[in-house]
Amino acid sequence: MRSEQEIFDLILSVANSDNRIRAVAMNGSRTNPNAPKDLFQDFDIVYLVTEIDSFIQDENWIDIFGERIIMQTPEKRSSSCIKRYAYLMLFADGNRIDLTLLPINKKEEYLQEDKLTVILLDKDDALPAIPPPSDEGYWVKRPSAEDFSNCCNEFWWVATYVAKGLWRNEILYAQEHLNNYVRPMLLKMLEWQVGIQNDFAVSIGKSGKYLEKFLPEDIWRDLMSTYPKGEYENVWNALLTASNLFRTTGKSVAESLNFEYPHDDDKRVTKYLKQVKELPSNAVEI
């Protein structure tokens, strides 16, 4: 596996040898002072270029970065005007470079997009000075009362869909609603609680990947139990555990932020979930 320094040298060597590339920037976890370092970190690189079209027309120029396992070019699928172009490349040696081409005349806008940006090369000394990288832009955001209310409503509303799917023996339907709607609301509530405990000055990372280090062991264990195996009883247990965890966390968040927790919705839906769980398979009414 090529070292970090070898990859940086290659990135800058390509830029220095191509007159179309006027500057190089980087963001992502490698510029985040709070992100743990490991061998799977991407190199999130931006080439600020005089124009994009010539790069796209002949993509053989990217072969210099090494043998690829696979590549994705998201903008190639777009039918709209291409304003930037990315090559997401995983190499045979395990390194990954996410390389984006961006017109140099968009430099002002780009440098305001992400506080984790650092400048690696500026051939023309044309880029404005930027502050040291900070993950402030990714800190947990304080919710409004409306945000909190919507989160609670979504959780309890869609929980009934999971129950319905389980009673019908439609486990894929039930799992989809648990995974894509119910648990995300639980994660959001847990995120807010972590924010409260840290003065909303902390990031839990993409997809909540750092959440574990902020949660007590028992809460983390309960959260993990909401990811069930594909068996009906396991999904029921996951739903009820998620409900209990949401209730406890939601009440705590509401108390801390002086919000109103929907006790009545919680009580009525919880009763309904338990009724459906005990409902005979041949029932014709609830």
Side-chain angles (χ1 to χ4, degrees):
M1 187 176 194
R2 289 169 292 177
S3 69
E4 179 182 65
Q5 190 57 54
E6 287 177 299
I7 297 296
F8 279 133
D9 288 345
L10 177 57
I11 288 167
L12 292 176
S13 173
V14 171
N16 277 311
S17 64
D18 193 324
N19 197 48
R20 297 170 297 177
I21 303 170
R22 306 313 304 165
V24 183
M26 181 172 70
N27 52 30
S29 64
R30 287 185 180 272
T31 67
N32 186 349
N34 295 319
K37 307 300 180 184
D38 65 32
L39 72 168
F40 284 103
Q41 284 181 293
D42 305 340
F43 292 83
D44 295 301
I45 302 297
V46 173
Y47 279 173
L48 292 122
V49 298
T50 54
E51 48 82 24
I52 292 178
D53 289 347
S54 62
F55 288 94
I56 300 174
Q57 289 166 5
D58 181 7
E59 293 192 336
N60 292 326
W61 71 276
I62 60 173
D63 293 342
I64 194 172
F65 292 106
E67 179 186 354
R68 297 185 295 275
I69 293 176
I70 191 169
M71 179 175 74
Q72 189 173 88
T73 50
E75 285 77 18
K76 185 175 286 187
R77 308 168 186 172
S78 175
S79 59
S80 58
C81 178
I82 295 176
K83 298 180 179 179
R84 61 180 68 191
Y85 198 85
Y87 301 91
L88 313 181
M89 300 176 285
L90 177 62
F91 298 100
D93 70 349
N95 279 297
R96 173 173 162 170
I97 300 176
D98 289 354
L99 175 60
T100 299
L101 303 175
L102 184 72
I104 189 68
N105 61 12
K106 300 294 184 182
K107 60 182 183 293
E108 301 283 352
E109 301 168 32
Y110 164 67
L111 292 175
Q112 294 181 26
E113 288 179 7
D114 191 342
K115 291 185 177 182
L116 285 174
T117 301
V118 297
I119 306 302
L120 301 181
L121 177 67
D122 182 4
K123 293 181 180 179
D124 307 308
D125 293 324
L127 302 184
I130 57 175
S134 165
D135 65 357
E136 181 179 352
Y138 299 90
W139 289 353
V140 176
K141 302 295 189 297
R142 180 186 293 270
S144 66
E146 183 179 13
D147 294 332
F148 178 81
S149 177
N150 289 342
C151 178
C152 292
N153 181 263
E154 180 76 352
F155 180 91
W156 292 114
W157 172 255
V158 183
T160 66
Y161 287 63
V162 182
K164 176 173 64 177
L166 291 171
W167 183 82
R168 287 174 169 172
N169 286 329
E170 296 171 347
I171 197 164
L172 295 181
Y173 177 95
Q175 288 273 41
E176 179 188 355
H177 285 81
L178 175 64
N179 295 334
N180 296 342
Y181 301 96
V182 172
R183 193 185 305 104
M185 295 301 102
L186 171 59
L187 289 170
K188 183 177 291 189
M189 194 64 73
L190 289 167
E191 176 182 333
W192 289 336
Q193 186 173 57
V194 168
I196 291 167
Q197 295 167 346
N198 293 274
D199 297 322
F200 291 98
V202 67
S203 167
I204 62 167
K206 185 177 182 180
S207 301
K209 61 184 178 181
Y210 305 140
L211 185 60
E212 180 179 6
K213 71 179 184 179
F214 294 105
L215 296 180
E217 186 176 329
D218 59 329
I219 300 299
W220 179 255
R221 185 171 57 248
D222 285 347
L223 176 61
M224 289 299 96
S225 72
T226 71
Y227 292 81
K229 294 187 295 184
E231 299 173 1
Y232 285 93
E233 189 64 25
N234 285 331
V235 181
W236 267 118
N237 291 337
L239 174 61
L240 296 177
T241 298
S243 299
N244 291 334
L245 188 52
F246 188 88
R247 176 183 305 110
T248 302
T249 310
K251 288 180 178 180
S252 174
V253 170
E255 182 178 358
S256 297
L257 298 180
N258 197 28
F259 293 158
E260 185 68 31
Y261 181 76
H263 296 278
D264 290 341
D265 286 353
D266 179 336
K267 183 178 180 179
R268 288 190 294 262
V269 172
T270 299
K271 180 181 179 181
Y272 174 84
L273 298 180
K274 292 177 179 179
Q275 285 179 316
V276 175
K277 187 175 188 300
E278 299 303 323
L279 199 63
S281 60
N282 61 349
V284 295
E285 63 180 14
I286 298 175

